Amino acid sequence: NSTNGTLTPLTTPSISNGSGTKPDELAINSAGTLLWVTGAAGTVTSYTVDTTTGQITSTGSIGGFSVPFGITLHPTLAVLYVSDTSTGLIQPMSYNTSTGALAKNFTAVHSSDGTANKPAAIAIDSAADSLFIADQNNGEVSSFSVDLTGALLPVAVFVNSSTSDVPIGVGMATSGGFEYLFTANQGGNSVSSFLASLTTLTEPPTLATGYSGATGLVVDPQNVFVYTADNGNGTVGQA
């Protein structure tokens, strides 16, 4: 419901992602016509979306991952990025703009920190020249430059408030001419706020506390409010 947000199941309320695929995170293109789902069993599945009915249709999966998790889209190119929480690799992939079918025609890259092997959610800045990803094991944020084709180059690593933060969700906002990166720190029960400039983040971040297992994170389109899914106590944090 466009007024109050009430949800009503579609005529076909669910579509199989494949038995045992363990679907996890999702991404959708700005036109609302294509959708992708990471499956913790090792696949990323593509769907087309009927924008009139909302129904989705699978157009196939791509495998070769260990435990894919984070997923995001380049804002202007037909490129999608997926993080693998087992190998530590970030895989850029091109996609067919009609079917969403994925192709691994980019080199997968690792953080410049060789021990950052559990990358979680991914954020790309509005200019599409920098990509940031949080690592659950090291409690840090890795930065990558994005070239004109969408390919990645690892640049630097930035410390969070603690190595035990377990940052998972990330988000970016622009306000007053400045750009910020936020991480939801499940282990630290907090949200970190970094000032971002290209592939650089300020250290240490500003810290907001009082959360309970902050996991997912989203920034509202006005770039004013930050919301978190607090895994520890079943609440939605708002700041």
Side-chain angles (χ1 to χ4, degrees):
N1 184 294
S2 59
T3 301
N4 59 31
T6 300
L7 296 172
T8 302
L10 299 183
T11 304
T12 305
S14 64
I15 303 295
S16 174
N17 194 63
S19 178
T21 58
K22 301 180 180 178
D24 206 329
E25 301 297 297
L26 303 93
I28 192 167
N29 68 338
S30 59
T33 57
L34 299 171
L35 180 142
W36 297 268
V37 180
T38 57
T43 61
V44 181
T45 304
S46 307
Y47 297 86
T48 56
V49 184
D50 184 321
T51 56
T52 300
T53 65
Q55 294 288 342
I56 61 175
T57 301
S58 175
T59 57
S61 299
I62 188 168
F65 299 93
S66 183
V67 186
F69 179 74
I71 184 169
T72 197
L73 294 170
H74 191 287
T76 58
L77 300 175
V79 179
L80 178 146
Y81 303 91
V82 169
S83 66
D84 194 312
T85 62
S86 176
T87 64
L89 294 173
I90 316 303
Q91 176 68 65
M93 291 178 282
S94 63
Y95 61 86
N96 182 293
T97 55
S98 297
T99 66
L102 296 166
K104 291 183 180 179
N105 46 13
F106 290 90
T107 301
V109 298
H110 193 283
S111 165
S112 57
D113 181 349
T115 68
N117 289 323
K118 200 171 183 180
I122 312 170
I124 189 167
D125 76 329
S126 57
D129 52 20
S130 302
L131 183 144
F132 300 95
I133 189 160
D135 189 84
Q136 297 177 59
N137 277 347
N138 295 354
E140 62 191 21
V141 176
S142 297
S143 68
F144 302 80
S145 62
V146 184
D147 74 12
L148 295 178
T149 70
L152 299 177
L153 179 69
V155 178
V157 175
F158 303 91
V159 297
N160 214 322
S161 61
S162 169
T163 56
S164 60
D165 273 340
V166 192
I168 299 179
V170 297
M172 300 201 76
T174 301
S175 178
F178 296 98
E179 194 162 43
Y180 299 90
L181 175 80
F182 304 98
T183 67
N185 307 321
Q186 188 180 76
N189 295 318
S190 61
V191 171
S192 296
S193 175
F194 296 86
L195 179 62
S197 175
L198 292 178
T199 52
T200 300
L201 301 178
T202 55
E203 298 175 312
T206 301
L207 199 66
T209 59
Y211 298 87
S212 179
T215 303
L217 182 145
V218 69
V219 180
D220 87 300
Q222 302 176 83
N223 292 294
V224 175
F225 305 107
V226 175
Y227 300 94
T228 61
D230 289 359
N231 184 270
N233 63 3
T235 64
V236 175
Q238 46 189 11

